[in-house]
Amino acid sequence: MWFKKIRKKKIQSIFIVLILMVCSMLMTSSFVIITAGDTPYKELSGECRSPIVKIYPFQSNDPAIAEQIKENMEKLDMVEHVEVIPYHYMLERIQIDGKGSMEGYFFDLMPWNDKTYGSIRILEGSRELKEGQCLISAVLSNSEEIRLGDTLNMENGISYQVTGIYTDPYNMNLSFDSEIIVKENPRSEDLKYQVHVFAKEGSSGNEVIDAYREQNDGILEGRAITLEARIQNNQITERIIGGILLGISVVILLISGIMIRYMIKSTLASEKKTIAIYKMLGYKNGRIISIYLKFYGFLVVMGTVLGSCLSKMISDSFTKNTFRNMGVTSSSSIVSAGILCSGIIIAYAMICVYLLLRVVGNIRPMEVFRNEAAYSGKKQRNAGKVLGFSPIHMAMRMIFRDKKNTCMLVITCIMAAYCVNFAATAMGLLGTFEESNYYWLGFDKHDVSFSSTDLKTYEKTVEKLQKEEEVEKVIKTTTRVAVSVPWVKGMGDTILSVMVYDTYENLDMPVIQGRNPAHSDEIAMGSLMAEKMNKQVGDYVDIYLNGNQKVTLLLCGTYQSFYDMGKSCRLLGKTLEEKDVSFQYEEASVYLKEGIEPEEFLKDHEKEYESDGKLIDRAEKYANILDMITGPQMLAIRPFMIMAILLGALNIIAIVYLKNMDNRKTQSIYKAIGYSSGHLLKTNITYVFLIALFSLSITIPIFIVAFPKTMVLALSMMGFREYPVSYDITVVIISNLGTLAVYLLSVLFASKSLYDNPISELTSE
Amino acid sequence: MKTCVIETEKICKSFVSDGEVNNVIKNLDMKLYQEDFTVIMGSSGSGKSTLLYLLSGMDKVTSGKVYLKEQEITGLKESAMADIRKDSIGFVFQNMNLIPDLTLLENVLSPSYQSKIKKEEKKKRAEMLIEKMELSAHKNKFPNQLSGGQKQRTAICRALMNQPEVLFADEPTGALNSNAGKGVLDTFTKLHEDGQSIVMVTHDLKAAVRGSRVIFLRDGRIDGELEQGSFRQKEEEARERMLYEFLKERNW
C-alpha cells in the first residue's frame, strides 16, 4: 500500500531523497575526511618505525647537549633506543634542474641513519644511497614535481641526484622542516644535532617527554616534536575541511527537517479524505500511521544510504593528496562513517516524520466529509482587513494568512542567505590574507624580507640595505631563539615561537592589549599563551631563554597570531643581550620608501644580494604557512557556498511546488473568475520576493554583527580575540542579489504547474 | 428580435481515457440569447456540464467554434480567455468553489482586481450585492464559517461582481437542502427579471421550471427545446407539468 504512494507522489519522493542524499553525502564525507588519516598514519608509523619524539636542542650546534639529552633519555624505562643525528639546516637556495629554485620551504640535510630511516616507506626508487644521491619526501616530490633522476643543486656547488622518494609521518607537510636524506653529510663544519627517541611499544611521545621532565626538574633543553603531535598537525587541513563540511551538513539536516515537515503536512492535507475513509473502514490510527511511516521511512533510508555511498566521491577528492603523499592508493572505507551518519540522519528524519504523523489521530472523518476546513480564530481576527488582488496584495495575503509557511520560507531563506554571505565574505577575506599576512601571523608590516644565508656577512648586508636609496628603514629580526615557559605536568610542549626585533618603535605590528616591548624587561605574548599562563598585561611572567636561563619579564602586551597556533612571544634583541643569551639576527624587515613597489626593488636588487642571502616579498615568504591556513578553507568554502544556494533553491522549489499543488483548486478558481496563469505566477514570485527581501534585510545586519564573532569563536583555540572585517559592499550586493535571483528562478521552475492546471478540474471532486 | 450572446458552430469535445476516445459533445450547433434564462437538462453523462464549460470558455473544444457576442473565443490565448472570463462571464459552481482563505467580502471582490472602477466603488458594489443576498452580517467570515446556502449566494455575488454578459450556473442547487435551494433559485429568477442572461445546467425539475427556455441534451446532441417564457410563481405547477411531459417524451 505504502509503495504505491511513491508513484503517486513522485516529485515529493524525489525531493526527500535528494535533500537527504546531499545531507548524508556531506555528513559522511566530513566524518571520513576527519578520520580518514587515522588508520593510514597508524600503519605508516608502524611500518616506518619512526622515532616517537624528535628533539631539536636549543643549542643545536653543540653535540654535548644532544649527547646529554640522549643519556638522560636512555635512563627512562619506556625508552628503547636513542640516536643523535648530525644534520645541516639549509639556508642555501636549492635549484632543481630545469625547474627553478625552491622557495619558502625549510630543509634539513639528513645523513642516512639505519634506525631512523631503515624502515621508511619507499614509494619510488631505492633506499640504497651512494655519494651524490638523495631521497626526498613524496610531499616535496608532488608539490615541486621532482622526479627520480632530477638533480638538486645546492648553492655551495654540491649536487644530489634524486634516487628515491620516501614517506614517513614526520615528512608529510612542507610547512615544517623537510628532510632530504643523503649518504653522509658533507657540511661537517656547520652541523646541528637532533635527538631521535624510540620508545617501547605502548608509550606515547608525550609520556616520554613528561617522564623526561619529571626526571630532570622539568627541564628539557630542546624542542620536542612528538610523533602524535606531528601526525595531528599533518591532519589539520583535512580536519578543517571536514569540520566545515560537517557544519554544512548539520545546517542542511536542520533545513531538511523543515522541508520534510512541510511535505508531510502537505501530504496529510491532500490525503485527509483518504485517511478519513480508512478510519471509516475501521483502520486504527497506528495502522494508518504505519502506512505513512513505511512510505517516508523508505524514502529517508534510500536518500541517506545513497548519499553515504556517494560520499566517497567528495571524501576522495579532499584526501587524495594526503594519500598520494603517503603512497596509499585506496582511501579509507566509508562503511563505519556511513553507518554512523545514516543512523543519525535516519533517526532525526524519522522523528520529524513521526511527530507530524501523530496528527492523523486528530482527523475526524465526519468533519472531513462535511468539508469543514479548520481555520484558526487568529485568522478571523485578521479577517476585517480587506486586501486587493494585485500580485503584491495576494502575496501579502499569503504571507499574513499562512504564517507557518511564511515562517518556514523565512527560516530557509535566512539560513541559506547567511551561508552565502558567510562564504562570500570569508572568500573575499581569505583573498586579502596574502596582503595582510603580517596581521594574521603577528609579524610587522614590512615590504621585503631579507634572510641571511651567510651569517658572517649579515651586519654588513643590513648596513648596505639601509643605504639603498629605495629603502626607508631596515629592522633586524630573528626567530631562531629558544624560549620556553615553565613546565607543568601534562602540558606537553613548553616551547614558544619567538619574534626578536631590534626595535618595535614605529612598526605596524598590532596588539590586542597593551603594546609591544619598548624596554629590555618586557615581553609581549600571544593571548592564547597569556591565558594559559593565567597572566594579564601588567603581570610578570617567568620564561626560560635557551632552555635553562630563567628570566622574569613584564607582560606589556598581548597579540593574536596563527603563527605556531598562537604559541608565540615578542622580545627585544636587547633583552637577550642583557641576559647574555647568545643569538644572532639572521633576518631583516626592509621598509621601502613611499611609491616603491616590492617587485621593482626585488627586480633591481635580488641578484646583488644573492651571495649574502635571499630577498623575498613578504607575501611570498609566508605563502606556505598561509596556504596551510587558507588553502583548506578556500577549498571547502566554494562547495559550501554552492551547496547553500542549491539547498535554498531546492527548498524554495519544494515549498512553492507543494504550495501550488495544495492550492491547485484555489488557483483553478482564480482562473475561473478571470485571473491569468501569469497573474498567479507573478503572485508566487512576489510572495517569495517579499519573503526573501525580508529575510535578507534581517540576515545582512545579523551577519555583519555575527560574522566577526563567529570567526573569533572559531579561532579562539589559537587565541584570536578580534577578527577585523572590512565588508566589500560589491561582494555583499552581488552575493545577495545572486541569492535573490536563484530564489526567483526557483519560483519560476516550481510554478510551471500553474500553466497546466485545467479549470475543468473544478467540476470533478 | 432576440440578440444572440453565445453561438456555437459544430462543436465537439472528446476525452481520451485508457486509449479509448469518448465523444461527449458531437457537432453541436446552438444559440443562446440575451436576457434568456436557458436551462440545459439531460441525463447523467449526456454532456450538459461539459457543454456549459465549453460555452463559458472554461474548457477548450476539440473542434468547432464558439462565439461570444460574435467574437470567436475558441483558440484565444490563455490571457485573452482570462479577460473574457473576467469581464463577460460569471460562473456559479455546484460545489461553490469559494476561495477558502478569503473572507466572504474578499471572495466577492476577487474578480474585480483589474477593473478600472475606483476601489471604493468596487467595495460599494460588492457590499450592495452582499446586502441584496442578505449576507451583510457574514461579510468578514471565511467560507468554512458559512452555511451551504450562504456559500452559494456568495458565489452568485462573486459571479455578478463584474456585471457579466452571461451568468453560468452548474447545478447551483445540487449541494443544497430544499430551503437553501429555493432561496438560490429565487435569486436567479430575480436576476433574470432584472435582465441578466443566465445559462444553468440542472437535473432538478424545480430548478428547471425557473428557466425561460429548456434545452434537452442526449449523448452530446440537442434532443429538443422547450420555450417556457418568464417564470411566475403562480404558474409554477403548470410549468412543472409541461416540463414533465416534455422530459417524459424524451424518456428522461
Side-chain angles (χ1 to χ4, degrees), chain A residues 273 364-373, chain B residues 151:
Chain A
K273 208 161 190 171
R364 284 183 282 274
M366 287 324 291
E367 282 180 9
V368 177
F369 295 142
R370 275 193 230 118
N371 203 14
E372 289 175 4
Chain B
K151 280 184 202 170

Side-chain angles (χ1 to χ4, degrees), chain B residues 186-203:
Chain B
D186 288 345
T187 307
F188 275 100
T189 305
K190 181 79 180 57
L191 288 169
H192 179 228
E193 281 168 8
D194 294 345
Q196 176 68 53
S197 312
I198 301 170
V199 182
M200 179 173 78
V201 162
T202 186
H203 58 251

Side-chain angles (χ1 to χ4, degrees), chain A residues 124-379:
Chain A
E124 280 180 71
S126 148
R127 74 181 71 225
E128 303 303 323
L129 281 170
K130 291 179 189 155
E131 283 302 325
Q133 294 181 337
C134 72
L135 304 178
I136 59 163
S137 61
V139 61
L140 181 63
S141 159
N142 293 331
S143 304
E144 293 292 316
E145 295 183 352
I146 306 172
R147 302 284 169 255
L148 288 183
D150 285 351
T151 307
L152 310 184
N153 303 304
M154 314 293 160
E155 251 175 345
N156 51 18
I158 299 171
S159 297
Y160 292 101
Q161 193 186 32
V162 178
T163 55
I165 292 166
Y166 75 94
T167 185
D168 80 344
Y170 283 98
N171 286 282
M172 291 287 296
N173 194 325
L174 290 172
S175 302
F176 309 114
D177 285 14
S178 194
E179 295 172 350
I180 297 173
I181 307 167
V182 294
K183 187 166 172 57
E184 271 171 21
N185 216 318
R187 297 287 296 261
S188 53
E189 81 281 5
D190 185 21
L191 289 180
K192 293 176 186 284
Y193 296 88
Q194 285 178 23
V195 181
H196 291 186
V197 182
F198 298 85
K200 287 176 186 160
E201 214 171 308
S203 303
S204 71
N206 270 340
E207 283 167 354
V208 170
I209 296 302
D210 277 354
Y212 182 97
R213 287 186 190 277
E214 267 179 36
Q215 296 289 316
N216 295 280
D217 305 323
I219 293 170
L220 170 65
E221 290 180 326
R223 176 162 210 178
I225 308 289
T226 61
L227 181 64
E228 58 262 30
R230 182 50 59 88
I231 290 175
Q232 209 174 359
N233 284 337
N234 289 341
Q235 289 179 286
I236 276 183
T237 306
E238 284 81 11
R239 296 226 154 118
I240 293 175
I241 293 171
I244 294 173
L245 290 179
L246 187 63
I248 305 169
S249 61
V250 170
V251 171
I252 294 178
L253 189 59
L254 293 175
I255 299 179
S256 311
I258 296 174
M259 212 179 89
I260 291 171
R261 216 182 129 77
Y262 183 83
M263 286 179 182
I264 295 173
K265 284 184 89 171
S266 157
T267 301
L268 290 181
S270 66
E271 301 218 341
K272 233 176 188 174
K273 208 161 190 171
T274 313
I275 294 168
I277 293 169
Y278 279 138
K279 283 196 168 186
M280 210 182 65
L281 294 174
Y283 279 60
K284 287 184 177 154
N285 286 336
R287 171 88 179 97
I288 299 169
I289 289 174
S290 81
I291 296 170
Y292 289 94
L293 266 181
K294 279 177 195 163
F295 165 58
Y296 286 111
F298 175 76
L299 298 178
V300 166
V301 170
M302 198 164 93
T304 310
V305 172
L306 206 62
S308 281
C309 295
L310 292 174
S311 67
K312 201 166 166 57
M313 285 190 312
I314 299 183
S315 57
D316 279 0
S317 68
F318 283 109
T319 55
K320 68 175 179 209
N321 277 341
T322 307
F323 288 115
R324 194 172 157 222
N325 292 336
M326 259 191 230
V328 179
T329 44
S330 62
S331 57
S332 61
S333 152
I334 55 158
V335 175
S336 47
I339 291 172
L340 175 71
C341 297
S342 299
I344 294 170
I345 296 170
I346 291 171
Y348 173 75
M350 290 315 289
I351 288 171
C352 289
V353 171
Y354 180 72
L355 289 178
L356 271 162
L357 287 178
R358 287 188 315 170
V359 180
V360 165
N362 300 334
I363 296 176
R364 284 183 282 274
M366 287 324 291
E367 282 180 9
V368 177
F369 295 142
R370 275 193 230 118
N371 203 14
E372 289 175 4
Y375 275 107
S376 67
K378 214 172 185 179
K379 284 192 169 169

